[in-house]
């Protein structure tokens, strides 16, 4: 008897008998993936100093180059979402999750071993770009596979709750990356951080990826992939047969991704560039607000199982459309101001993050669910989320930092229109 076929007496599949095991397999691996991904963001200024040549008298040029590489990694995410999503639909979710965690471990090791520009010249940024491309491929595939895996593992009336663990684990990884960076900044000298300290989180990430790989070996498969090759979905079946759903994923995601990456990743750097807050205080505020954010996710997910997905999405979208500008303009350069702004944004953001996995999974049928989610979601994230640090820094460079909050508000308003027209799916049975 295969894992697919194991049933209890009430007919529920094996993965629904072991929800904690399934949550752990998805969450631990996902946390490791995102730890590796976000370590780059939190250490961007140190990487800029070591891997890129200095601009002629302009200290923002290396930082802009580093965030450009950050964006390059995002543009590999749609490829990863499509390819690994197709693997998840054709071969099973667990196979795809195994591949993504190994890819992330290898790319994290490569970042940690990247030579400096002083020692290797142009080879240094080439190695870094290669590592970020591999990380983008891995993260894009991770979201496609883990989203479907989590939601399909949920029992009746619990998809929102299970969905919330997508961002619980993502935030745990981000929190770990932020915490490690904050500890290193606090304990090492500036010279030590520039010389070798910034490499340590990436080397640690490579080791943690092996732990995630081991844990995922005990997961139960949630999708019975077709046995015959001719019955398996093609690479572009989701796009070709479900174009409306693909566009819907883009509209749902646009506002959520710009708000998410602004508040959870870029805001410490934004505060450094536009106020006189110190780097250490900015990282500490980010770490504390992320812990608060993680605690909110199950609350939002469970609430959506009772009241529906659409009310939470509208709470997020309209809230950010109205409050993005005043919140970001209220940053005064103090630690308390930054922490308050970040936590206020986290409350609003929970309306999107806690249920995005469930909303996305409920849009597509099981046959093409992973690829159907993976490509349009990752493409939208690449266009709006991955470019957020670069756009924000560029607005500062051209002397118009006040345009960035407006940019965030407009995208959230566009997504709010989509949420208004979105059919409610919380209480519908999930296609398996």
């Amino acid at each position: 008897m295969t894992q697919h076929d194991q049933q209890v007496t009430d007919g529920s599949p094996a993965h629904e008998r072991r929800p904690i095991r399934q949550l752990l397999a998805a969450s631990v691996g996902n946390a490791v993936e995102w730890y590796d991904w976000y370590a780059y963001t939190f250490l961007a200024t140190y990487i800029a100093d070591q891997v890129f040549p200095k601009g002629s008298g302009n200290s923002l040029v290396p930082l802009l180059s580093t965030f450009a590489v950050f964006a390059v990694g995002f543009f590999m995410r749609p490829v990863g979402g499509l390819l690994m999503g197709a693997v998840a639909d054709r071969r099973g979710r667990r196979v795809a999750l195994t591949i993504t965690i190994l890819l992330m471990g290898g790319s994290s090791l490569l970042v940690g071993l990247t030579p400096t520009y002083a020692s290797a010249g142009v080879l240094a940024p080439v190695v870094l770009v290669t590592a970020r491309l591999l990380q983008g491929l891995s993260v894009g595939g991770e979201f496609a596979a883990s989203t479907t895996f989590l939601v399909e593992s949920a029992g009746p009336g619990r998809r929102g709750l299970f969905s919330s663990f997508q961002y619980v684990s993502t935030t745990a990884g981000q929190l770990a990356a932020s915490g490690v960076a904050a500890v290193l900044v606090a304990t090492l000298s500036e010279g030590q951080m520039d010389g070798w300290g910034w490499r340590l989180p990436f080397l640690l990430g490579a080791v943690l990826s092996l732990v995630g790989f081991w844990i995922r070996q005990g997961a139960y498969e949630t999708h019975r992939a077709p046995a015959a090759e001719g019955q398996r979905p093609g690479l572009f079946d989701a796009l070709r047969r479900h174009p409306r759903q693909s566009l819907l994923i883009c509209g749902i995601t646009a506002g959520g991704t710009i708000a998410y990456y602004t508040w959870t990743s870029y805001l410490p750097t934004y505060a450094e560039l536009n106020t006189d807050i110190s780097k250490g205080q900015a990282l500490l505020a980010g770490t504390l607000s992320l812990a608060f954010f993680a605690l909110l996710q199950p609350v939002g997910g469970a609430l959506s199982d009772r009241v529906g997905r659409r009310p939470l999405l509208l709470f997020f979208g309209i809230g950010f459309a109205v409050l993005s500008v005043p919140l970001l303009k209220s940053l005064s350069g103090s630690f308390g101001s930054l922490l308050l702004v970040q936590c206020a944004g986290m409350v609003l953001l929970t309306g999107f993050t806690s249920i995005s996995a469930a909303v996305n999974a409920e849009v597509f049928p099981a046959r093409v669910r992973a690829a159907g989610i993976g490509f349009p979601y990752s493409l939208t994230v690449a266009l709006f989320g991955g470019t957020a640090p670069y756009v924000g820094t560029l607005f500062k460079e051209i002397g118009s930092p006040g345009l960035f909050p407006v940019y965030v508000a407009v995208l959230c308003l566009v997504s709010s229109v989509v949420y208004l027209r979105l059919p409610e799916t919380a209480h519908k049975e999930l296609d398996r």
Side-chain angles (χ1 to χ4, degrees), residues 201-264:
F202 299 103
L203 300 178
L204 175 61
V207 175
L208 292 176
S209 294
L210 296 178
V211 177
F213 169 78
W214 175 73
I215 290 175
R216 283 184 168 176
Q217 298 311 295
Y220 281 83
E221 182 57 69
T222 63
H223 174 62
R224 188 196 299 269
E229 181 68 30
Q231 296 176 346
R232 293 171 182 161
L235 189 62
F236 297 102
D237 271 13
L239 287 172
R240 188 172 63 250
R241 298 186 181 186
H242 305 278
R244 179 182 172 277
Q245 287 89 336
S246 297
L247 288 174
L248 194 59
I249 295 291
C250 294
I252 291 168
T253 305
T257 189
I258 185 67
Y260 178 76
Y261 282 100
T262 297
W263 250 258
T264 65

Side-chain angles (χ1 to χ4, degrees), residues 27 49 53 55 60 90 96 122 125 192 197 205 221 230 239 264 269 276 287 319 346 357 371-372 384 404 412 416 430:
S27 300
D49 289 340
L60 283 179
R90 292 169 61 85
V122 73
Q192 289 173 322
E221 182 57 69
L239 287 172
T264 65
T269 302
D276 57 359
T287 302
M346 298 305 193
F384 300 111
F404 184 69
C412 290
S416 296
L430 186 71

Side-chain angles (χ1 to χ4, degrees), residues 56-139:
S56 54
N58 190 336
S59 63
L60 283 179
V61 170
L63 185 57
L64 281 171
S65 300
T66 309
F67 281 141
V69 177
F70 182 77
V72 164
F74 270 88
F75 278 95
M76 279 300 289
R77 289 178 60 169
V79 179
L82 184 62
L83 294 179
M84 292 297 102
V87 170
D89 290 333
R90 292 169 61 85
R91 304 290 180 181
R93 316 306 190 204
R94 198 176 68 164
V95 172
L97 290 172
T98 298
I99 295 172
T100 59
I101 197 74
L102 292 177
L103 271 176
M104 181 57 79
S107 57
S108 184
L109 180 63
L110 193 57
V111 174
L113 298 178
T114 298
T116 64
Y117 188 84
S119 65
V122 73
L123 179 63
V126 168
V127 171
L128 184 64
V129 168
T130 301
R132 288 299 291 180
L133 290 174
L134 290 174
Q135 283 186 323
L137 188 72
S138 173
V139 168

Side-chain angles (χ1 to χ4, degrees), residues 4 20 85 115 121 130 172 193 197 218 240 292 299 316 376 379 392 403 418:
H4 295 303
I20 302 302
T130 301
M193 279 299 299
R240 188 172 63 250
F292 175 64
V299 177
F316 152 73
L379 180 62
L403 290 178
V418 176

Side-chain angles (χ1 to χ4, degrees), residues 11-34:
S12 63
H15 57 267
E16 288 186 10
R17 282 189 285 156
R18 298 174 172 84
I20 302 302
R21 186 173 184 169
Q22 295 295 99
L23 284 175
L24 183 64
S27 300
V28 173
N30 196 47
V32 172
E33 287 265 354
W34 288 99

